[in-house]
Amino acid sequence: MKLSDEEGRAVRAAMAGELRLLDPAVRASPEAVTELLDPDFAEFGASGRRYDRASVLAVTSAVEDDDPGPDVSELRGTLLAPDLVHLTYVTERNGLFFRRSSLWRRIGERWRLYFHQGTPAGTAREYPADSPGGAA
């Protein structure tokens, strides 16, 4: 399906924000992370823990900015509403794979991460292929 110009801009803005948040140099800057997180941000981490904006800022500010960060693949986006984009993608780090899902919300002209969830998907050997026909 071809996106309209507006849909494409919205999805690209959310993708750019998501990739910035995965950049260790950005994650090491509380100011940069604050710019990208919605005031009502929530996350269900791959660990099973629930995070809010303040707890994510504490975790990300401890990241080394020379860390290479995860490899990202399968990045896709869908405009759910005029001010809401859903992203899905896979990250790999040290041989471990995670499926990720994010909701980006626009307030005014700024896109910010509203919700994120990470789900462990195993090692390269265990990483599951998608089910034929989509989700089970």
Side-chain angles (χ1 to χ4, degrees):
M1 176 172 83
K2 184 169 172 33
L3 298 177
S4 72
D5 288 345
E6 181 182 341
E7 290 170 321
R9 279 192 299 277
V11 169
R12 284 190 302 276
M15 287 179 170
E18 191 79 32
L19 293 173
R20 284 195 69 220
L21 276 172
L22 292 171
D23 179 336
V26 171
R27 293 175 68 84
S29 167
E31 296 81 17
V33 174
T34 298
E35 280 280 313
L36 292 165
L37 294 182
D38 191 274
D40 297 323
F41 171 79
E43 175 177 344
F44 298 147
S47 64
R49 291 189 177 111
R50 185 182 189 288
Y51 296 91
D52 61 11
R53 190 176 190 197
S55 59
V56 164
L57 285 167
V59 170
T60 58
S61 64
V63 170
E64 297 292 327
D65 63 0
D66 62 348
D67 179 341
D71 290 328
V72 176
S73 62
E74 302 178 35
L75 180 59
R76 293 179 180 86
T78 302
L79 184 69
L80 299 178
D83 296 323
L84 188 65
V85 170
H86 180 226
L87 300 179
T88 59
Y89 60 102
V90 174
T91 58
E92 185 272 329
R93 184 182 193 124
N94 300 324
L96 297 175
F97 289 81
F98 299 88
R99 290 194 184 269
R100 301 197 177 269
S101 176
S102 294
L103 291 173
W104 283 78
R105 178 167 74 170
R106 180 172 51 196
I107 299 174
E109 296 303 311
R110 180 169 290 163
W111 285 94
R112 290 188 166 160
L113 182 58
Y114 176 73
F115 177 79
H116 180 78
Q117 181 168 354
T119 303
T123 64
R125 176 181 289 169
E126 302 163 333
Y127 179 67
D130 289 338
S131 300

